[in-house]
Amino acid sequence: DAKEETEFHRIVAWKKLADLTTKLLSKGSKVYVEGRLHNRKIIDSDSNERDTYEIVLEELVVLYNPTKRDEEIDQVNEAVSTVQGAIV
């Protein structure tokens, strides 16, 4: 039996796209994202320099949100698409 695994990635969003994701996503939401990979150096709590990687969000599609109906998700995706078009 194949076991489903969850992976977590740091996603960074800016401006109106950041505002929308904050308002429209909730815990348990499943999303499709596209963006560019960005790495930077951080200093951890033990003063060690480490690389960290994050995805700078360029495109977002909500696949599932446990707090919204399918019709609402369609409206969310339309709003996000409008904002993405204005950014590009």
Side-chain angles (χ1 to χ4, degrees):
D1 284 333
K3 182 179 178 188
E4 184 175 314
E5 293 185 28
T6 302
E7 292 185 17
F8 296 92
H9 302 279
R10 184 178 307 269
I11 309 286
V12 179
W14 300 104
K15 300 180 183 178
K16 290 183 181 181
L17 198 52
D19 292 338
L20 275 176
T21 57
T22 300
K23 293 176 187 173
L24 302 175
L25 299 179
S26 59
K27 184 176 181 178
S29 295
K30 292 185 181 182
V31 296
Y32 167 83
V33 298
E34 282 187 22
R36 60 185 169 81
L37 192 58
H38 176 76
N39 85 327
R40 59 188 174 96
K41 301 222 182 271
I42 61 169
I43 305 296
D44 66 16
S45 59
D46 296 325
S47 299
N48 297 316
E49 188 176 90
R50 296 184 350 177
D51 285 322
T52 186
Y53 295 88
E54 52 201 21
I55 299 168
V56 179
L57 188 61
E58 293 175 353
E59 185 171 335
L60 169 77
V61 176
V62 179
L63 303 174
Y64 171 77
N65 185 319
T67 64
K68 300 198 182 311
R69 297 186 320 270
D70 288 343
E71 299 83 27
E72 291 176 301
I73 290 174
D74 290 341
Q75 292 172 351
V76 165
N77 285 330
E78 188 175 316
V80 170
S81 179
T82 302
V83 168
Q84 290 168 170
I87 292 172
V88 176

